[in-house]
Each structure stands twice: as C-alpha cells, then as structure tokens.
Amino acid sequence: DARASGGGRGAGTEKKEEKMIRTLRAACAATLAAGAFGLLPTAATAETKMTPVLQTPLQGMEGMEGQVVLIEADPGWETPRHIHPGQLFVYVLEGQLEIAVEGQEPRTIGPGEALYETPDVPMVGRNASTTEPAKLIVFQVGKAGEPLMVNE
C-alpha cells in the first residue's frame, strides 16, 4: 500500500487539497466580482482590497446566488458610472461612502449605516474622504455567474 509506505497521498493531504481548491475558487470569484464592480485598481483610481466572505447558491431561488465581499477602499477611490442588474446592499464599517444615484441628490453614509442600491439605475460610488480609507461589506443577490455590476 503506497500510503503505508509514505509514498502516496493520505486523507489529510486530499482534504488540504480540497480546501486549497475551494479557497482558490473563492479568490477567483472575488477577482471576477471586483472586475464586475469596477473595483480593480487602475491608473486613474485609488486601490481597493477585496476579500471574499461568502458566495453561495440560494435555495428555493433557482439560478440565483448570494455573495458577501469585504471592500477596503483607499482615500479617493471611486467606481465608474454603472448599474446593478441584481439586488445590492452596502454596510459601512469604517469611513464615509458617497453614493450618487441618477435623479437623486448624492448621499453619504458612515459607520453603522447601510443602504440598498436599486437595480438598473445608473450611479457612482466613492470614498467620500481624500485622506481616510473606507471599509464596506457588500451583499449581492443576482443571477449565478453573471456580473452584478455593469459599467456604462
């Protein structure tokens, strides 16, 4: 037996590999979500750090998934003008977030405050501070495998 001689892979190694694969899938999903949100850094924007917290299919909602992402945004960070085809909720942990939704006055929320972003309405989000970072939790519900943010 290869396992008994130390030459094969034991159950512990297989479990570690499965965990690494799940972690890699979550990291890839976060990178795709960052691209969908327009949150990946560019020469014209400040940096953001995206940490996937959860991505899961939703029971009883065929073809839908939920995602939770922690966003750490540098001072001056701003999204491009975009829409959300899905449902999106934002909770601010630290800093100030300004949301400018088409047809409405810009709104700023701070730590402990949350907002709901209406699907299919153009908007821009930004860190309201040029000196302090912002930390947000974003909860998204949308069609599995499709971007939940579309740049205009």
Side-chain angles (χ1 to χ4, degrees):
D1 182 301
R3 280 183 277 201
S5 66
R9 295 179 355 183
T13 301
E14 289 176 10
K15 287 184 180 184
K16 286 179 187 177
E17 287 176 0
E18 289 172 12
K19 184 176 181 180
M20 287 182 357
I21 290 169
R22 283 194 308 273
T23 301
L24 181 59
R25 284 182 182 156
C28 290
T31 301
L32 291 173
F37 270 116
L39 300 177
L40 293 176
T42 67
T45 63
E47 302 251 345
T48 60
K49 179 181 176 188
M50 305 277 300
T51 304
V53 178
L54 175 70
Q55 181 176 7
T56 185
L58 301 175
Q59 283 190 343
M61 298 178 74
E62 184 75 26
M64 302 293 283
E65 70 180 5
Q67 295 182 37
V68 180
V69 179
L70 172 66
I71 299 172
E72 297 173 84
D74 280 353
W77 166 81
E78 184 172 305
T79 68
R81 179 181 160 92
H82 64 276
I83 63 165
H84 296 284
Q87 311 292 319
L88 189 122
F89 303 86
V90 178
Y91 180 78
V92 177
L93 296 169
E94 298 174 10
Q96 300 286 314
L97 177 68
E98 182 181 292
I99 302 293
V101 177
E102 187 175 280
Q104 300 175 19
E105 289 295 316
R107 175 179 170 197
T108 301
I109 62 171
E113 295 181 296
L115 64 84
Y116 165 71
E117 295 183 13
T118 306
D120 301 318
V121 178
M123 61 158 302
V124 173
R126 70 179 187 91
N127 181 344
S129 175
T130 58
T131 59
E132 299 295 323
K135 190 181 286 188
L136 325 166
I137 292 284
V138 175
F139 173 68
Q140 313 165 65
V141 176
K143 291 182 181 178
E146 289 188 8
L148 297 174
M149 180 177 141
V150 179
N151 294 342
E152 291 199 320

